[in-house]
Amino acid sequence: MLSTVYSGGVTGVDGYIVEVEVDVSKGLPDFTIVGLPDTAIQESRERIRASIRNSGWEFPARRIIVNLAPAVMKKGGTGFDLAIALGILASLGHIPQDALRKFVVMGELSLDGSVRPARGALCIAVSALESGRNSLLVPAENANEVRALEGITALPVSSLEDAYDVLNGRFDGSLTVACKRTGDSTTDFRPRDTLADHPSDSDPLESAESLDLSDVIGQMHAKRALEIAAAGWHNVLMVGPPGSGKTMLAKRLPTLMPPPTQSEAIEITKVYSVAGLLKPGQGLITKRPFRSPHHTSSYAGLVGGGPMIRPGEISLAHRGVLFLDELPEFRRSVLEAMRQPLEEGKITISRASGSVTLPAMSLMVASSNPCPCGWRGAHGRECSCSPRAVASYAGRISGPLLDRIDLFVEVPRLDIQDLYGGVKGETSREVLARVMSAREIQVKRFEGLKISFNGEMSSREVARFCRVTEEGRKLLMKAFESFSLSSRSYNKILKVSQTIADLGGDTVIDKKHIAEALSYRAILPWNRRS
């Protein structure tokens, strides 16, 4: 007897619907899965066999063929287990087939029949709604995750027996996790109006609640640069000797950033769901991520990869902060791979089986010593590096990569007087208030467009939105000639200037805004004489 059930898979962070066809017929006992399954799916035969038997049913000694359609698409993972098991039970007459076709089913089975969580549940839920299906049968641990979308009804199950009861109409209504519809069409869906509706007490992110910008003594110039970076989404490179506070500053940047919007929170959660980093019962992620990979990270670890392509650190920092400490110590190939995502906010990974595009709209904050020994230009310490060693150290960061960084900041070594009598400065809350005001200006400016921050503007949008006074234009032209700036650097200066104007509540870019933006394009310390 033939039965059909719908399930889903994930490519990158995009879900797709799979039609699982199960045929149980007379013949020699056999269990075959076709439709380009990977090893994990092939191994599911033994999990499904044991799960059905240990749940109280007799596994049929018949010929079983499972087809995963469309057959031309490579499929991987363990999320098809529950769908295949239910398809077999439906073919044996234990489950009404009409009820089974109403649901998109996902989940991995244990040998005892319990259901384990599935990776990418939120991604599959989005694709289900787009395909006109609004009913899901999901592992109980994924229930909070799929609640991120309105227009979906998710029935959480903890075992194969629970799924059987649901499909036969025997279930406790309290298990239902239903979201209100926003329209008559099944494809009319949107995020909930408030993030408070979603559990988020176990975000797999570094907590920044105990961090505050006022913890950093002095370094007012660097703090101002971080404020600009947070307000306009501008990449930052901090250069200074060891112990000057670069890492402390970077870790406090998330406290200056506005909370993610509804759509941004869903994008972040999708990446973590695919990566398998959501904890059991984890809901929508409502904090901006902060990722700090070690400089020994591999190419695949930073940009993503693997047999079934998984997000790397740059994607895990999507809509958050990617902190690259000791930037020159990273491998050259890894750093060069950063150029595309820093420019486009996404990264495309190509394999023989096809290409996958992963989101990578991360705010990069990098730090570096001024030289190999770290003391070049430092007060009271003598640098032991030769000019050739300094040039070699600086050369590890290519010009094209530096050209994609908006703000260059010197973080000098503090004297003992600064440490004991230095001014702590403003708190994160005070700076965040200005950032939020600048953010509101940008929301109105880019209404109807696909961008949210000044740092995301293309050259066409820079020409459209950045209005510069005559004095400001003259200063910019003079700097362009004096510093031999590229067209990309020219646009970046205008973007930073626009953010500075937004922080001050100004409607046009003036000479003072251009001057401050140019101060963050100064010659780096390693290019100066000791």
Side-chain angles (χ1 to χ4, degrees):
M1 185 175 179
L2 178 66
S3 65
T4 301
V5 57
Y6 295 95
S7 187
V10 179
T11 299
V13 294
D14 298 319
Y16 58 88
I17 298 302
V18 174
E19 186 176 346
V20 181
E21 299 173 312
V22 181
D23 180 66
V24 180
S25 59
K26 294 180 180 180
L28 293 175
D30 189 27
F31 191 174
T32 304
I33 301 177
V34 297
L36 290 183
D38 70 351
T39 304
I41 297 177
Q42 293 286 9
E43 291 178 346
S44 70
R45 293 174 297 178
E46 302 307 319
R47 291 194 297 271
I48 293 167
R49 194 190 310 270
S51 180
I52 290 177
R53 189 171 57 249
N54 291 327
S55 297
W57 292 281
E58 183 178 348
F59 193 83
R62 301 181 187 181
R63 179 176 175 79
I64 302 173
I65 300 178
V66 177
N67 179 44
L68 305 178
V72 296
M73 180 180 291
K74 180 74 175 178
K75 302 163 192 76
T78 57
F80 299 99
D81 291 9
L82 182 59
I84 295 173
L86 292 175
I88 293 173
L89 293 178
S91 295
L92 296 175
H94 297 303
I95 294 174
Q97 297 205 26
D98 290 341
L100 187 59
R101 289 194 187 99
K102 295 178 182 178
F103 291 92
V104 174
V105 182
M106 67 187 84
E108 175 187 337
L109 285 174
S110 297
L111 299 184
D112 63 355
S114 60
V115 179
R116 299 178 184 272
R119 285 190 177 189
L122 180 58
C123 309
I124 297 172
V126 172
S127 64
L129 284 168
E130 291 174 344
S131 66
R133 302 180 182 280
N134 69 322
S135 297
L136 270 68
L137 207 61
V138 301
E141 294 175 346
N142 290 123
N144 287 332
E145 178 183 342
V146 300
R147 289 186 63 205
L149 295 174
E150 285 194 6
I152 197 167
T153 300
L155 300 181
V157 294
S158 299
S159 66
L160 181 58
E161 292 180 81
D162 285 350
Y164 170 83
D165 290 340
V166 168
L167 295 171
N168 281 282
R170 300 193 298 269
F171 67 93
D172 182 358
S174 64
L175 291 175
T176 303
V177 182
C179 302
K180 293 181 180 179
R181 296 299 305 274
T182 60
D184 295 331
S185 170
T186 54
T187 58
D188 180 16
F189 66 95
R190 61 181 176 82
R192 289 178 179 268
D193 293 330
T194 59
L195 292 176
D197 292 338
H198 307 291
S200 59
D201 54 342
S202 56
D203 290 354
L205 313 171
E206 180 173 335
S207 175
E209 295 178 357
S210 60
L211 303 178
D212 195 275
L213 191 64
S214 62
D215 298 336
V216 183
I217 299 174
Q219 307 297 7
M220 297 304 176
H221 184 62
K223 290 180 180 180
R224 172 63 173 173
L226 292 185
E227 178 182 345
I228 296 170
W233 206 268
H234 302 290
N235 298 317
V236 184
L237 172 60
M238 297 182 288
V239 182
S244 57
K246 302 186 294 295
T247 301
M248 283 187 68
L249 287 163
K251 287 186 175 181
R252 282 150 182 79
L253 179 56
T255 67
L256 310 181
M257 301 173 71
T261 62
Q262 290 285 91
S263 58
E264 288 175 341
I266 291 176
E267 291 175 16
I268 296 169
T269 307
K270 286 172 66 176
V271 174
Y272 277 80
S273 178
V274 169
L277 295 179
L278 292 183
K279 296 180 180 179
Q282 171 71 39
L284 195 67
I285 295 176
T286 58
K287 298 177 183 177
R288 294 195 182 272
F290 179 88
R291 305 294 298 188
S292 180
H294 194 260
H295 60 77
T296 58
S297 297
S298 65
Y299 180 94
L302 192 64
V303 305
M308 298 297 294
I309 297 176
R310 300 294 184 194
E313 290 292 339
I314 192 170
S315 294
L316 292 173
H318 180 63
R319 298 295 179 183
V321 177
L322 177 66
F323 178 44
L324 301 181
D325 197 10
E326 303 297 341
L327 186 66
E329 301 297 335
F330 282 80
R331 300 176 189 177
R332 182 67 176 259
S333 61
V334 173
L335 292 181
E336 292 308 299
M338 299 284 294
R339 287 159 56 176
Q340 179 205 3
L342 287 178
E343 190 74 18
E344 301 178 7
K346 59 185 179 181
I347 186 164
T348 301
I349 302 173
S350 299
R351 295 288 185 270
S353 58
S355 298
V356 171
T357 299
L358 297 171
M361 189 62 199
S362 56
L363 177 57
M364 189 189 79
V365 180
S367 70
S368 172
N369 291 327
C371 65
C373 78
W375 300 109
R376 185 177 177 81
H379 236 8
R381 296 292 294 265
E382 198 158 328
C383 175
S384 60
C385 304
S386 65
R388 183 174 181 178
V390 175
S392 175
Y393 185 75
R396 297 179 187 177
I397 309 175
S398 69
L401 180 60
L402 289 173
D403 210 28
R404 287 166 169 81
I405 297 175
D406 303 348
L407 305 170
F408 298 91
V409 187
E410 266 198 87
V411 185
R413 177 172 176 256
L414 297 177
D415 295 328
I416 190 67
Q417 291 85 359
D418 298 323
L419 292 173
Y420 279 100
V423 179
K424 285 191 173 183
E426 296 176 297
T427 63
S428 293
R429 186 181 296 273
E430 293 171 321
V431 176
L432 179 59
R434 289 196 299 271
V435 171
M436 291 297 290
S437 297
R439 171 76 178 123
E440 290 174 4
I441 294 173
Q442 292 170 73
V443 168
K444 294 178 181 178
R445 176 181 298 133
F446 303 127
E447 187 175 3
L449 301 179
K450 293 183 179 180
I451 62 176
S452 304
F453 294 92
N454 291 330
E456 299 178 72
M457 287 192 291
S458 64
S459 57
R460 179 182 298 179
E461 287 149 352
V462 168
R464 175 183 173 184
F465 293 111
C466 296
R467 295 184 296 163
V468 188
T469 63
E470 187 60 31
E471 286 188 351
R473 192 174 302 278
K474 288 179 180 178
L475 177 60
L476 187 57
M477 293 298 102
K478 185 176 180 180
F480 186 85
E481 296 295 333
S482 301
F483 298 145
S484 300
L485 300 175
S486 66
S487 57
R488 182 183 286 113
S489 297
Y490 173 83
N491 285 327
K492 284 190 176 296
I493 290 172
L494 281 176
K495 294 178 192 179
V496 173
S497 300
Q498 184 64 70
T499 300
I500 295 171
D502 291 343
L503 285 168
D506 300 317
T507 57
V508 295
I509 300 173
D510 202 359
K511 182 179 179 180
K512 62 180 180 180
H513 306 130
I514 297 289
E516 184 175 358
L518 287 171
S519 71
Y520 297 109
R521 304 292 302 185
I523 300 174
L524 291 172
W526 51 53
N527 293 332
R528 299 175 183 168
R529 293 184 179 180
S530 180

